[in-house]
Structures are given as C-alpha cells and as structure tokens.
Amino acid sequence: MKRIALLVTALFLTLPMLVHAELLEVTVETPGMLSYQISQKTDWKTVTDLKVNGNLNGTDFLFLKIMSNGYILRKYTKGTYDPISNEKGNLKYLDLTDANIVDGGKFARRSRKTELGWYDYDEITTENNTTGFNMFGDLETLILPRSLKKVLFGSFVGTSLKTLTFTSDEVKEIPDKTLC
C-alpha cells in the first residue's frame, strides 16, 4: 500500500513537468522577421512558451500580440475595421532577456476623434529600448529585455500577467497605471 501511495505521489508531482510545453527559442537578426523565424520551426498557433533573441520592431510585437491572443487582425472597409483573421494563438510565456526593442514597424493603431467627428487612426511604432502602449497581448509571464531603458504608460494593458520580470538596471521609473 505504501508503494502505491508513493507511486501516485511521484506521478502527481511529475505530471506538471510532463504536460508543460517545450520552450521555443528563436533569434531575429533582421527586425520584422519574427513570424518568418517561427514559421521555419513550427506552427505559431501551437507555441505557448517562447524565448526571443535579437532585434524586434513593431511588426514583431504585433505578431507577438497575435500569438498571445491579444490582437485581432483587421482591415479597413467602408469606415470600419473588419476582422480578417480569427486565428488565435496560445502564447503565455515570453522571455525577451536577450532581445532589443528597435525603432520601426507598426504594432497598433490608436483611434482619435477629429474636429469633424470622424475617427482618425495613428500608426504606433516602436522606439529603441522602450515599451509601448498595449504592446504585449494576453501573456501570463513576461521577462523584459536587459537593454530596456524606458517603460511607457499602459505598456502592459490587456495582459493577464502573473509574473513580470525586469532584467534591466536602467529602468528608473515605471509610470502609474502601467499595468491597467
């Protein structure tokens, strides 16, 4: 009876390790090419745990948001943005320790009302070593880059973060309501 109890206990303790997804690691040398790098290794919809090295721009962060189910692809049609993709990713763990956020690419659109009552959309791009508004999608664990220097207001809006790790000593201030 003790052997059975010991076996069941051992199985119970090791089961999470057996079920836990394998960490996919990719290196992006050319900003904007993260989706290509991942597609060369696996189907992006199956990735739950990801470590990214190299240089990432706004295009890469848009793809990360799609991977983490935090963004719906849309196209502009007759005054509205209509969904063009309902594919959802499963990314929950993202390690950017050895990544660099670089200028360029587009990761979001911000709407604002004009004087005439029409909505105008600004493209939001990344800035060197800076997190941007609503940049990360629906992640549970996020490890930020060593090269990070600045965190902007609302950088983690829309996430389900349980763990947020800063690896940079250069971030001196985190704005209020950054996690809202």
Side-chain angles (χ1 to χ4, degrees), residues 96-125:
L96 298 174
T97 302
D98 297 314
N100 301 302
I101 301 171
V102 299
D103 287 339
K106 295 176 182 139
F107 70 88
R109 290 187 173 183
R110 175 179 43 222
S111 63
R112 59 184 167 81
K113 207 168 192 176
T114 65
E115 292 176 10
L116 300 174
W118 296 92
Y119 282 94
D120 189 10
Y121 295 89
D122 296 328
E123 301 283 341
I124 301 173
T125 63

Side-chain angles (χ1 to χ4, degrees), residues 56-62 64-65 70-71 94 96 100-110 123-139 142 144-145 148-159 161 164 166 171 173-180:
L56 304 176
N57 68 12
T59 303
D60 299 312
F61 281 99
L62 174 59
L64 288 169
K65 284 176 72 170
Y71 195 84
L94 179 60
L96 298 174
N100 301 302
I101 301 171
V102 299
D103 287 339
K106 295 176 182 139
F107 70 88
R109 290 187 173 183
R110 175 179 43 222
E123 301 283 341
I124 301 173
T125 63
T126 48
E127 299 174 31
N128 285 336
N129 303 313
T130 303
T131 63
F133 182 79
N134 191 14
M135 192 168 183
F136 294 101
D138 191 21
L139 296 168
L142 175 61
L144 293 167
L148 186 66
K149 294 183 179 175
K150 188 174 181 182
V151 175
L152 298 180
F153 167 82
S155 292
F156 310 108
V157 167
T159 65
L161 285 173
L164 176 61
F166 287 83
V171 176
E173 182 180 335
I174 300 172
D176 288 341
K177 298 185 180 178
T178 299
L179 293 168
C180 292

